[in-house]
Amino acid sequence: MTATINRQIPGTVGVVGLGYTGLPLALSLAGSGLLTIGLDTDRGKVSDLLVGRSYLPGIADDELVATAEWFEPTVDPRRLAGLDAYVICAPTPTADGGDADLTYVDAAADLVAPLIRAGALVVLQSMVPPETVAQLAARLSRGSGLVPGVDFHFAMAPERIDALGLPSHEGTDAATRP
């Protein structure tokens, strides 16, 4: 079977959460020529990015300058309306009892749901339990009125765990991890 590829590239991608997972991803997407809108609720982080200043070890200010034409950091969720794809990079701290706290993932899904359009792709890139995928797809469906797998596409790309049990930090080495 051969896939038919839509050659209407570049598309526009929204990255929700510009922490150690989201910011490197956003810069990589922007560096590949995709218009990338990065959303974070931390105004200080977004202010730093807007002036080309990195707040993460392993990401040089030069990387921000090099992708400035394709990367738009913002605190305004309305900038994410009607995009081609969304990647949710929300933290999942461990709650009491060792379970993942999905508060940030749920909040990000609630923010994105009314903004997605038919045909969009939504990817969850966070450390979550396996059952979260179906729960989040249903949450996005309720918030958007769209049917996952029919009107929009949903996928999961779990964060990797390195040999020390820490989330993988693309672009940083073990000595500089927070």
Side-chain angles (χ1 to χ4, degrees), residues 5-155:
I5 298 173
N6 183 343
R7 302 253 182 231
Q8 295 179 344
I9 297 177
T12 305
V13 180
V15 176
V16 180
L18 297 175
Y20 66 84
T21 300
L23 182 57
L25 174 64
L27 295 177
S28 178
L29 292 165
S32 74
L34 292 170
L35 180 57
T36 305
I37 300 172
L39 177 75
D40 204 284
T41 57
D42 186 328
R43 290 184 182 280
K45 285 182 180 180
V46 171
S47 294
D48 282 347
L49 295 172
L50 287 169
V51 297
R53 187 173 42 242
S54 175
Y55 47 82
L56 289 179
I59 295 183
D61 294 349
D62 292 349
E63 288 183 65
L64 295 170
V65 172
T67 58
E69 182 180 346
W70 295 96
F71 176 53
E72 176 191 331
T74 185
V75 294
D76 183 1
R78 295 172 298 183
R79 294 292 301 129
L80 300 179
L83 302 184
D84 300 305
Y86 302 85
V87 183
I88 297 173
C89 299
T92 52
T94 303
D96 292 336
D99 294 331
D101 179 354
L102 301 177
T103 302
Y104 297 109
V105 171
D106 289 342
D110 291 343
L111 182 140
V112 167
L115 303 174
I116 63 176
R117 63 169 179 78
L121 169 66
V122 181
V123 177
L124 173 62
Q125 187 165 355
S126 296
M127 292 296 297
V128 296
E131 66 273 7
T132 305
V133 176
Q135 293 168 357
L136 196 63
R139 188 178 200 106
L140 289 166
S141 181
R142 283 191 306 274
S144 67
L146 301 173
V147 178
V150 175
D151 299 322
F152 74 96
H153 309 282
F154 182 73

